[in-house]
Amino acid sequence: AGAAGAAGSEDGVVAALVLKSGLLAAVDIGAMQLLSLHKTGHTGGVTCCAVCAPGVDTDGGSSADPADPGRLVCATGSLDKTLRVTRFPQTDVCLAHLKGHSGAVRCCGFTQFGRWLVSGADDCTLRLWDWARQQLLHCLCGHSRAVVALDCLLDAPLITSASRDQKLKVWDAASLGEHSSGDSDRNHRHTASLLACALPSPTKAVTTGLDGTLAFWNVETGQRETSSVRSGHTVWILGVDISRDQKLCVVGCYDTTLSVLQLEQGTLLHRLTGHSDAVVDCCFSPDAVLVLSGSKDGTVRLWDTETGTCLFVCDRHASPVTSCAFAPNGNVFASGARDATLRLWEAESGRELHAFSGHSADVESCVFSPSGNMLVSACADKTIYVFSVHSEDLLRRLRGHGAEVTDIAFNGDGSRLYSVSRDSCVKVWNPHTGDLQASFVLSTCALQCIAVCSHLGRDFGIVGDNSGNAELFAAII
């Protein structure tokens, strides 16, 4: 019979090998010797296994076998829809027989210092078990097809799952919540393409798009929140940003105007008029004193947030502007356009400082690094360009996407750059070296926008696609 799965102990001394026939083999890795071979007790083929030495966690809980607290345990999953936990490797004594899945179990792993067992199955769910008590703690729903792989941190309550729905999801087992997917039903999605998003904190996100609505999301639960904030627009909203103090929101609209909204009261502070074509991007200065907007009319405008007055019109682009961004110090800002240029401007005067060249197609998005030393652009030529703000040199090109790169975002300390593309992929880069650190798929549709923030060593992000879905994720890389 062929092998169905393998797992090793944390110390790398012993490995478990499960066979499709239902047998479980224990192997001494160093000596390459078979220690034991016994039946698992499953009535169907064995599909996966996990080995752990259960210990005591920081809350004082323990899942160790009372008869032998130092002994290893092995969990196996099967086509019979159940999991079994046995002593390992000396005996085939069954410690737990877990039933609950309605489809074949495909993957399993231990977390929380071995207290909990996680399983994924053909029934599209993950299940979290207190295996020592043979108790189901939670059923994690969100995937639309079979869960085929998962990974757990033994000392932290994070679970990553992969499914045949081509989605990767990250779950927080401690809160029994999901840091992925705001599309579980029609009420939790936009009804048309999602074009812009903002993530001002690890707990709140906002998205908007061609359905003309603003949607606010609770990042912890992945659920859409009820909000009294209305944009006042009845047509496509193409850009959105929230001030750092989370008191103000600005949206740019297809009707050529912008709206500055007070979030707490849900009221309109200013309607900004002056552009002659659709406003495609907008953002606040770091202190929220200024609003920056870019339009299809080929201009970038700088506005006074308090009065709603237009301070400067920057009109050096020869084609529609696609994006704009403030530097972290607020002294300069950048704009990208369909003329394949990226331009740097002085905020105090509106004077152009430099035009960065080298793009071979439309500039789709631009962003400054948190230090302000780098200016990065996403291009329709499938490439990301990294420039030095001070020397104005092109530092490197990042290639790897299979279609237009539509949006980019830095994490909090600037150590990682996230990019999304019409190829449906999210990629994570080291902007200082150009190395690709990770690549994953959150949607089967073309991705339009991304926003990222960091908290306690974790990156939280939101991605929007052209079918109206918002996908939330958390990453430790």
Side-chain angles (χ1 to χ4, degrees):
S9 60
E10 288 291 306
D11 59 10
V13 174
V14 182
L17 183 68
V18 290
L19 306 179
K20 293 179 180 179
S21 62
L23 294 176
L24 176 65
V27 179
D28 184 316
I29 297 176
M32 292 303 295
Q33 291 181 341
L34 179 66
L35 298 177
S36 65
L37 182 66
H38 57 79
K39 295 181 179 180
T40 59
H42 288 291
T43 58
V46 182
T47 57
C48 58
C49 66
V51 175
C52 178
V56 179
D57 66 15
T58 54
D59 295 326
S62 175
S63 59
D65 178 8
D68 189 351
R71 180 168 298 189
L72 294 171
V73 296
C74 180
T76 54
S78 170
L79 297 177
D80 65 10
K81 308 176 187 178
T82 72
L83 297 107
R84 286 178 175 265
V85 181
T86 63
R87 289 181 183 173
F88 186 78
Q90 292 87 351
T91 177
D92 57 359
V93 173
C94 182
L95 303 175
H97 188 201
L98 308 176
K99 301 177 182 179
H101 281 292
S102 60
V105 178
R106 296 294 177 182
C107 49
C108 62
F110 288 98
T111 188
Q112 286 295 79
F113 297 90
R115 288 181 62 195
W116 297 344
L117 177 65
V118 188
S119 56
D122 284 353
D123 60 10
C124 310
T125 70
L126 289 95
R127 293 178 187 257
L128 191 64
W129 311 84
D130 183 332
W131 64 265
R133 295 183 175 89
Q134 301 198 51
Q135 178 183 355
L136 176 64
L137 298 177
H138 201 67
C139 179
L140 303 174
C141 301
H143 285 295
S144 59
R145 297 189 65 185
V147 180
V148 295
L150 63 85
D151 191 25
C152 306
L153 293 176
L154 188 61
D155 58 352
L158 286 180
I159 304 165
T160 304
S161 60
S163 165
R164 295 193 189 279
D165 63 11
Q166 299 184 16
K167 292 183 180 180
L168 183 75
K169 293 181 180 289
V170 181
W171 312 77
D172 187 342
S175 63
L176 303 181
E178 179 187 350
H179 284 293
S180 168
S181 176
D183 62 341
S184 55
D185 58 61
R186 294 290 296 182
N187 293 325
H188 292 161
R189 64 188 299 271
H190 289 272
T191 57
S193 181
L194 198 157
L195 294 182
C197 58
L199 191 61
S201 76
T203 60
K204 184 181 290 292
V206 61
T207 57
T208 188
L210 296 188
D211 59 4
T213 64
L214 281 172
F216 292 85
W217 304 87
N218 184 313
V219 176
E220 293 295 329
T221 64
Q223 300 300 305
R224 185 169 176 173
E225 295 180 337
T226 302
S227 174
S228 61
V229 179
R230 299 291 181 270
S231 69
H233 297 280
T234 58
V235 294
W236 302 346
I237 299 176
L238 307 178
V240 65
D241 192 29
I242 293 179
S243 61
R244 287 186 178 181
D245 60 11
Q246 300 185 49
K247 293 182 178 180
L248 298 175
C249 177
V250 61
V251 295
C253 192
Y254 186 78
D255 64 10
T256 76
T257 70
L258 299 99
S259 292
V260 180
L261 308 165
Q262 293 178 319
L263 290 179
E264 187 174 347
Q265 296 87 351
T267 56
L268 176 68
L269 183 62
H270 293 296
R271 179 65 59 85
L272 309 180
T273 60
H275 284 293
S276 60
D277 206 335
V279 179
V280 297
D281 199 12
C282 54
C283 63
F284 286 104
S285 61
D287 57 8
V289 171
L290 302 173
V291 170
L292 184 64
S293 61
S295 169
K296 285 187 175 181
D297 64 13
T299 69
V300 181
R301 289 178 180 253
L302 199 62
W303 312 79
D304 184 296
T305 305
E306 185 177 358
T307 65
T309 304
C310 180
L311 303 177
F312 302 111
V313 179
C314 308
D315 58 359
R316 298 279 294 178
H317 285 291
S319 298
V321 174
T322 56
S323 61
C324 56
F326 264 106
N329 60 15
N331 294 332
V332 296
F333 60 88
S335 60
R338 301 209 180 282
D339 59 7
T341 67
L342 179 67
R343 298 179 186 271
L344 186 69
W345 313 82
E346 184 179 66
E348 186 177 2
S349 64
R351 178 173 61 94
E352 183 183 7
L353 300 176
H354 186 70
F356 298 92
S357 59
H359 305 90
S360 61
D362 301 348
V363 176
E364 299 286 351
S365 180
C366 62
V367 65
F368 287 91
S369 63
S371 67
N373 294 328
M374 290 185 289
L375 176 59
V376 183
S377 59
C379 189
D381 63 8
K382 310 177 188 178
T383 306
I384 300 165
Y385 294 79
V386 182
F387 296 94
S388 168
V389 174
H390 303 297
S391 70
E392 301 172 351
D393 294 331
L394 174 62
L395 301 178
R396 59 193 58 87
R397 294 179 177 89
L398 310 181
R399 293 187 173 99
H401 280 292
E404 302 98 314
V405 185
T406 52
D407 202 8
I408 44 180
F410 275 96
N411 73 333
D413 64 6
S415 61
R416 289 182 287 275
L417 176 71
Y418 289 77
S419 62
V420 294
S421 165
R422 298 192 193 280
D423 64 8
S424 304
C425 286
V426 181
K427 292 187 182 292
V428 189
W429 311 83
N430 182 326
H432 304 286
T433 65
D435 293 336
L436 179 63
Q437 296 182 325
S439 181
F440 52 92
V441 176
L442 290 175
S443 172
T444 58
C445 302
L447 300 182
Q448 302 284 94
C449 56
I450 185 171
V452 176
C453 74
S454 302
H455 182 63
L456 298 178
R458 301 169 68 186
D459 294 345
F460 296 86
I462 184 167
V463 172
D465 67 25
N466 66 359
S467 69
N469 291 326
E471 298 285 348
L472 298 163
F473 66 89
I476 298 179
I477 299 174

